[in-house]
Amino acid sequence: MTKRDGEYAPAAIESKWQERWNEADLFRAEIDHDKPKHYALTMLPYPSGDLHIGHWYAMVPPDARARWMSMRGYNVMYPMGFDSFGLPAENAAIKNNTHPGKWTYANIERMRGQLRSMGNMFDWKREAVSSDPEYYRWTQWLFLKLVENDLAYRKRAPVDFCPKCNTTLAREQCIGDDRLCERCSTPVVKRDLTQWFFKTTHYADELLDFGKFDWPQRVLTLQDHWIGRSKGAEVTFTTEAGDDLTVFTTRPDTLWGATFMVIAPEHPLVEKLTSDEQRDAVEAYVAEATRATDIQREAADREKTGVFTGGHAINPVNGEKIPIWIADYVLMTYGTGAIMAVPAHDTRDFEFARKFDIPIRIVIAPEGEEPPAVEDLTEAYVVKGPMVDSGELTGTPADQALPKAIAYIEEKGSGKGAISYRLRDWLISRQRYWGCPIPIVYCDSCGIVPVPEDQLPITLPDDIEWKPTGESPLKLHETWKKTDCPTCPMEAERETDTMDTFMCSSWYHLRYLSPEHDQGPFDQEEYDYWMPVDSYTGGIEHATMHLIYTRFFHKALRDAGVVKGDEPMSQLRNQGMILGEDSEKMSKSQGNVIAPDDLVQRYGSDTVRSFLMFFARWDMGAPWNSKGIDGTARWLKRVYSLIPGGVDDAPEQADAAVLRQLRRKTHQALQRVTRNFEQYQFNTVVSSLMELLNHMTDAARAGAVGSSEWDESCRLYVLMLAPVAPHLADELWHEMGNEDFVHRQSWPEVDAEAAAEDEVTLVVQVNGKVRDKIQVPADVTKEKAEELALASDAVKKHLDGRDPRKVIVVPGKLVNVVG
RNA sequence: GCGAAAGUGGCGGAAUUGGUAGACGCGCUGGAUUUAGGAUCCAGUGGGGCAACCCGUGGGGGUUCGAGUCCCCCCUUUCGCACCA
């Protein structure tokens, strides 16, 4: 080998190797029972038009890890596809007067090319596109499975509606305290509509079981809060008219302190409970509450409002007759839409009672303490202690109060222990065109009829007016909705709403298994081999949307007998976000967007890949730094010029010590890189490689080139580089005389002996402060280390004549003399 | 208000999980080479001090021979939830 002359020219190298990998079908993933499988999955992109640097950040480090897994002997599948139904296509269609599909598929074509420029090990034969009829045929089929298994239903309910997107939204798609539309940030409003729902709440408890998989604690906490399980009781009060009025409470032990009840303005009993004298006031209040948006209603700091119905109910534990009020701080969507109010011990009820001058009664008091007089209370009396003034249960200690109160009401037949969830069923109907049609037909005589399997897919019509009106464009189509009833000779109408696109993305990992399979959503043999997903990567923003939906979907399909296992993704890791150079979120209007195409053109894919792995902790993200990438570019240039030929003007031969050190540094780097890949710590993978290159440069200058140690270092270096900078690695690998692709090589084993230090720097401390450093053999004995430390001049000086009281020796590391 | 995470040089970040704080890279400062540099190479770079040394991981306590790392209190930032009965 001689020193290299040419400059590093990534463009030529990268296109050459991408072509050769393609020709060899190198990344085709096929079932191989002789190898352990590894299903690597990155959340699929929406085909918005251009690949963003964020897409690279989401896809490239996981690609490096997938390649590393492959070199470690795993049969790796890393598929990619497009989540291609959705609103932006319709908005673009309206703007440019083109069909949403045309826009979508043009974008997909463009993005495929951009994705290829990453040099990722995607198996393109497994590509799945959710707006293809061959894909959504099975989305519809899966919908029918849920219907069949009683996990889908149609209901008229107040639903969240985005006036700008002109469609309903799932609860999860209304973001933040302002309840903004997830897509366009417009405040959502309530509408009363008949819509399709999935019973996510059916799996609320199972969705809280996080014991079966390795996901970040952060995501689990978010899901835990989102599901929001509360334990308590349902208690039934009786109204004057004899109707049951059931409330949910987490504090059945305070039942004796209930001095009024509150029902939500939308509660079905409002009409019946209202007395003639109160009718005008109630109607005015309900009208007002309906007009107010959820934002205004749910603001916690807003002063309580409400109105008396004129009606009363009987408290089942003590037979007391208490007034029923209407107030918008009680939500129809949580619990039963009605509460018993215990103003003494609940801040909200207290505030309400004081405002409307309703009696307050204390029923909990700390052990051995006299409770204050109610008229002296300035806020709710939130205390722990035994029950007081509570009939037969008076005196029940705090730790027994809940079970005893529940047992008491159960015995009386007026209630039972109950659990309430914050999670709501998933509203999947959307009044838009560019989505998967819901395969349902409405017949005047048969009612709701699922479309038979053999008539799938129900495809979207192309001749359509897609201007949003708040109604589904499919509804306004002249002929599309007209059909024959599948079960009787009558004419019938198709469902004209389409499905939430989260439905399409809840099962895409299954379509990748066999995207061309036409006998079912996936090929069972592929499923049995590849599932579950071993490494799932994507942004944290999906914690309470996609990641809950896909878990729900898997469980629903399991119970429908379609899939096996309890969880679809065994391991999840989240990447952070790349901000603009100004530390703001990247956006076109901010003018701080970094375009990966430009970077690839200027630096080459390998440099962009390496920099994305290096510049920040992957799970944290960071602001972009356009200067920083030059450092990574320099590194790869130096790799290219050093390996394998070395440097000019070096001695013929190196000392044995130099060669020994070269081997040591090489194997130490291998040790670190291996561990860092395992733990998704991509930044230190690259920094370890940079560090090793610095050592190799020193060794080359000291004459190491030509030795077997040098050759080994070069070989290991290129193998370690392969997942990070795959094109350059293959180029160097072949220059070094190898025939096969570097990506088909095995990940090297660490030679522990080579990595071991034979001399270590012994840190010598006096009272915990570093005072000296002594070179000693790595296997120095405790006694010898202590002796050497005590003999040190620096130690003697800092002991200042005192005798050491204690000497702590950490073998091979440090001696601390306490004096 | 509740919950979670994070605070380390001018900047991004290392620290093998209780044992040399600041690896690696950016930036900066000198120098070499060059007609030129947003090129390349060499040296330096936490703060203070001529030095011996002293100080230093958001702040304050504590445990320990020894704390960026463990415990308690506080502050700041980011994210999530928020009248959930």
Side-chain angles (χ1 to χ4, degrees):
Chain A
M1 278 302 158
T2 50
K3 195 202 174 283
R4 184 191 303 282
D5 290 326
E7 280 272 304
Y8 173 45
I13 293 176
E14 289 170 7
S15 56
K16 174 172 81 183
W17 288 105
Q18 283 177 16
E19 240 166 77
R20 293 212 191 161
W21 298 336
N22 266 341
E23 281 161 19
D25 218 0
L26 187 61
F27 304 124
R28 178 75 182 126
E30 283 174 327
I31 294 175
D32 177 354
H33 290 286
D34 295 334
K35 278 181 168 182
K37 64 94 185 180
H38 181 77
Y39 185 173
L41 182 66
T42 294
M43 292 177 190
L44 82 179
Y46 177 79
S48 53
D50 262 307
L51 220 53
H52 186 262
I53 193 71
H55 290 118
W56 276 66
Y57 198 51
M59 295 175 188
V60 160
D63 174 70
R65 193 169 186 278
R67 287 171 173 276
W68 173 73
M69 288 298 284
S70 164
M71 291 175 80
R72 284 177 81 210
Y74 287 87
N75 185 24
V76 174
M77 165 165 71
Y78 192 24
M80 188 41 64
F82 294 94
D83 183 19
S84 50
F85 271 137
L87 274 172
E90 272 180 271
N91 294 338
I94 292 156
K95 204 170 143 196
N96 312 323
N97 202 28
T98 51
H99 190 278
K102 197 175 159 195
W103 181 87
T104 301
Y105 283 91
N107 286 348
I108 288 177
E109 200 42 49
R110 176 174 171 75
M111 288 173 81
R112 277 188 188 126
Q114 293 176 317
L115 283 165
R116 280 175 191 277
S117 76
M118 286 177 184
N120 271 16
M121 60 174 298
F122 294 134
D123 177 0
W124 286 107
K125 291 205 172 109
R126 291 181 179 273
E127 187 201 56
V129 177
S130 66
S131 58
D132 286 349
E134 302 76 46
Y135 185 108
Y136 71 72
R137 169 185 178 186
W138 299 108
T139 309
Q140 292 173 343
W141 187 88
L142 293 165
F143 173 91
L144 294 176
K145 281 285 160 193
L146 264 62
V147 173
E148 212 173 282
N149 283 271
D150 198 26
L151 289 167
Y153 64 93
R154 200 160 175 261
K155 183 178 84 171
R156 186 171 181 86
V159 293
D160 295 306
F161 191 89
C162 172
K164 187 165 173 214
C165 296
N166 266 300
T167 185
T168 51
L169 298 173
R171 169 74 187 87
E172 290 80 2
Q173 289 165 307
C174 310
I175 307 294
D177 48 355
D178 296 338
R179 317 239 28 228
L180 305 179
C181 169
E182 178 237 350
R183 284 229 86 91
C184 69
S185 296
T186 304
V188 300
V189 297
K190 286 283 182 201
R191 283 224 180 148
D192 241 356
L193 288 172
T194 305
Q195 303 278 278
W196 281 94
F197 292 84
F198 286 158
K199 289 188 187 170
T200 39
T201 52
H202 180 74
Y203 293 97
D205 273 326
E206 204 192 331
L207 288 167
L208 283 169
D209 178 5
F210 302 127
K212 291 170 182 160
F213 51 154
D214 169 23
W215 283 24
Q217 188 55 47
R218 204 160 138 230
V219 174
L220 304 185
T221 306
L222 285 172
Q223 293 204 348
D224 189 81
H225 288 184
W226 190 263
I227 295 164
R229 185 180 198 268
S230 296
K231 236 178 119 177
E234 273 181 7
V235 184
T236 301
F237 290 59
T238 312
T239 68
E240 288 155 306
D243 288 313
D244 283 350
L245 179 54
T246 302
V247 302
F248 174 76
T249 175
T250 54
R251 292 296 302 276
D253 57 325
T254 62
L255 260 166
W256 288 261
T259 53
F260 60 105
M261 301 183 79
V262 186
I263 62 177
E266 302 86 359
H267 198 281
L269 282 179
V270 166
E271 177 68 25
K272 208 167 169 190
L273 282 169
T274 304
S275 66
D276 290 340
E277 310 85 78
Q278 289 299 102
R279 189 154 311 274
D280 288 350
V282 166
E283 278 171 6
Y285 184 79
V286 171
E288 183 61 33
T290 314
R291 247 199 312 279
T293 63
D294 268 17
I295 317 159
Q296 293 159 340
R297 282 185 53 176
E298 290 184 8
D301 47 8
R302 182 166 150 259
E303 200 182 331
K304 297 275 177 294
T305 61
V307 65
F308 177 46
T309 59
H312 294 82
I314 305 294
N315 185 340
V317 296
N318 56 13
E320 260 179 29
K321 192 169 145 186
I322 55 175
I324 304 169
W325 287 66
I326 298 171
D328 63 10
Y329 80 90
V330 171
L331 310 173
M332 197 56 223
T333 43
Y334 183 79
T336 61
I339 63 162
M340 62 166 199
V342 184
H345 304 294
D346 180 282
T347 33
R348 295 153 302 183
D349 299 346
F350 181 86
E351 209 186 306
F352 194 84
R354 272 291 144 88
K355 179 159 177 193
F356 294 102
D357 208 19
I358 304 169
I360 296 170
R361 186 191 303 151
I362 290 170
V363 289
I364 301 285
E367 188 84 59
E369 248 180 63
E370 193 60 34
V374 289
E375 54 276 17
D376 294 338
L377 287 177
T378 55
E379 56 182 21
Y381 189 52
V382 183
V383 292
K384 284 199 176 102
M387 296 166 69
V388 297
D389 203 7
S390 294
E392 290 171 44
L393 292 194
T394 300
T396 308
D399 58 345
Q400 292 169 35
L402 287 176
K404 286 228 167 137
I406 291 171
Y408 185 81
I409 53 167
E410 281 178 353
E411 202 176 299
K412 295 196 76 147
S414 49
K416 58 179 197 296
I419 287 159
S420 197
Y421 300 91
R422 217 184 75 96
L423 182 75
R424 300 190 206 152
D425 281 345
W426 176 13
L427 190 170
I428 60 141
S429 301
R430 297 291 178 272
Q431 292 70 46
R432 297 303 300 245
Y433 165 71
W434 191 236
C436 176
I438 295 175
I440 290 288
V441 166
Y442 301 105
C443 167
D444 282 343
S445 72
C446 309
I448 300 173
V449 186
V451 174
E453 231 179 87
D454 59 11
Q455 290 176 27
L456 299 182
I458 305 301
T459 53
L460 289 167
D462 279 335
D463 53 331
I464 191 98
E465 189 68 47
W466 38 76
K467 297 234 161 39
T469 59
E471 292 283 6
S472 169
L474 294 176
K475 198 171 191 171
L476 306 175
H477 190 276
E478 279 303 305
T479 53
W480 185 83
K481 65 185 171 191
K482 290 183 182 148
T483 184
D484 296 328
C485 174
T487 52
C488 83
M490 299 263 294
E491 282 208 338
E493 276 201 8
R494 293 195 185 285
E495 165 69 62
T496 53
D497 284 347
T498 53
M499 293 182 215
D500 181 2
T501 55
F502 275 115
M503 168 82 185
C504 311
S505 57
S506 288
W507 73 283
Y508 72 107
H509 55 285
L510 299 175
R511 195 60 191 162
Y512 286 153
L513 296 170
S514 46
E516 280 160 28
H517 191 62
D518 62 0
Q519 301 302 304
F522 54 82
D523 180 333
Q524 193 62 48
E525 196 190 341
E526 296 276 342
Y527 183 96
D528 290 342
Y529 181 75
W530 292 108
M531 282 295 287
V533 172
D534 296 286
S535 169
Y536 194 32
T537 51
I540 185 80
E541 68 273 15
H542 288 109
T544 55
M545 292 197 265
H546 165 65
L547 290 172
I548 286 192
Y549 296 141
T550 198
R551 290 183 64 213
F552 155 76
F553 213 71
H554 188 90
K555 291 170 194 302
L557 294 183
R558 175 200 62 198
D559 291 347
V562 178
V563 303
K564 299 165 192 168
D566 295 326
E567 293 286 343
M569 290 50 177
S570 325
Q571 190 185 53
L572 175 75
R573 292 293 181 268
N574 301 116
Q575 80 274 8
M577 207 193 316
I578 303 188
L579 302 173
E581 218 157 359
D582 52 3
S583 297
E584 299 291 330
K585 205 168 164 173
M586 280 192 203
S587 77
K588 278 183 191 149
S589 57
Q590 285 270 340
N592 58 357
V593 174
I594 301 295
D597 285 3
D598 297 348
L599 295 172
V600 172
Q601 197 166 24
R602 184 162 168 197
Y603 295 99
S605 165
D606 281 338
T607 295
V608 180
R609 290 174 61 98
S610 307
F611 184 60
L612 288 174
M613 282 182 236
F614 176 67
F615 92 112
R617 258 178 65 174
W618 185 67
D619 58 338
M620 303 271 269
W624 183 257
N625 179 345
S626 56
K627 282 263 166 63
I629 192 170
D630 288 323
T632 314
R634 265 195 288 275
W635 166 57
L636 288 183
K637 271 185 216 165
R638 288 173 51 219
V639 169
Y640 185 73
S641 77
L642 187 75
I643 294 175
V647 294
D648 284 331
D649 304 324
E652 280 291 301
Q653 274 193 331
D655 293 346
V658 168
L659 299 177
R660 173 75 188 88
Q661 185 71 353
L662 176 62
R663 277 209 87 201
R664 177 177 300 126
K665 294 293 180 190
T666 303
H667 282 272
Q668 286 178 347
L670 176 59
Q671 221 162 20
R672 277 204 301 274
V673 168
T674 305
R675 187 176 59 231
N676 294 158
F677 263 126
E678 177 72 48
Q679 298 170 348
Y680 294 79
Q681 285 164 2
F682 303 108
N683 55 340
T684 47
V685 165
V686 177
S687 70
S688 297
L689 288 174
M690 287 175 169
E691 213 178 336
L692 178 56
L693 190 76
N694 294 342
H695 287 301
M696 287 174 68
T697 304
D698 292 345
R701 286 185 183 141
V705 180
S707 65
S708 62
E709 287 84 351
W710 174 256
D711 292 345
E712 185 197 18
S713 281
C714 289
R715 200 176 95 45
L716 295 189
Y717 201 90
V718 172
L719 289 169
M720 286 190 275
L721 188 67
V724 178
H727 314 83
L728 176 59
D730 236 345
E731 178 76 8
L732 296 176
W733 185 249
H734 283 73
E735 272 187 31
M736 285 157 60
N738 299 292
E739 290 296 319
D740 198 5
F741 296 104
V742 68
H743 309 293
R744 281 196 182 137
Q745 309 310 308
S746 297
W747 190 251
E749 292 288 330
V750 175
D751 181 339
E753 221 167 280
E757 299 282 354
D758 36 36
E759 238 190 13
V760 293
T761 306
L762 192 65
V763 174
V764 181
Q765 301 181 327
V766 177
N767 294 327
K769 288 192 184 204
V770 180
R771 296 302 182 189
D772 203 358
K773 291 169 186 182
I774 311 172
Q775 287 300 120
V776 297
D779 58 354
V780 67
T781 62
K782 258 185 135 169
E783 292 71 24
K784 184 71 184 165
E786 183 172 338
E787 186 193 321
L788 285 167
L790 290 173
S792 153
D793 288 343
V795 171
K796 282 181 190 155
K797 184 180 156 201
H798 284 277
L799 274 177
D800 201 19
R802 285 160 301 173
D803 281 334
R805 278 193 286 129
K806 195 171 170 186
V807 180
I808 282 128
V809 181
V810 183
K813 278 225 167 119
L814 118 174
V815 180
N816 188 10
V817 181
V818 186

